[in-house]
Amino acid sequence: MTDATILDMCCGSRMFWFDKQDERAVFSDIRAEQHELCDGRQLVISPDLIADFRALPFADNTFPVAVFDPPHLERVGDNAWMGKKYGKLNKETWREDLSAGFAEAFRVLRPHGVLIFKWNETQIPVSQILALTDVKPIIGQRTGKSDKTHWIIFIKE
């Protein structure tokens, strides 16, 4: 798996991937599960590797590219489809968890490696998230119906 050039640190159902089986990537997530959504569609979370983004099982400087799209919901019901689809943050530890995720992303990235970070600020403003890392972003783009989804690119020094 470490021959791959991209690490998706919390792949979920691989929603934004053009090729959900892209051989260039290692798809990692803390969960593997399947759910039927309210409209009958299947939500499948099937990572190549079960791993916690706070403690990745890779050596330093392994990947030239990492993707970090962590759960962004702090308040969501246990059986809500949004929680099943996107995961849920721990209300007490989310700041520490995301800070550790950023640290791990930069640890496993090679020098001058690229981190692609995605965040939806429906519940938590992106400014609070960017404060959890000392690495400064270089490019960002807002998308979505209300411009609440942020795509942000970082480069490891």
Side-chain angles (χ1 to χ4, degrees), residues 11-13 29 31-35 43-47 84-85:
C11 65
S13 63
D29 206 291
R31 59 195 178 128
E33 52 195 45
Q34 187 167 340
H35 303 280
L43 173 69
V44 178
I45 299 165
S46 180
K84 291 175 181 176
K85 190 172 184 178

Side-chain angles (χ1 to χ4, degrees), residues 60-80:
D60 296 358
N61 306 315
T62 300
F63 297 95
V65 178
V67 177
F68 188 27
D69 177 17
H72 56 269
L73 299 172
E74 181 185 25
R75 298 173 309 277
V76 64
D78 291 335
N79 291 316

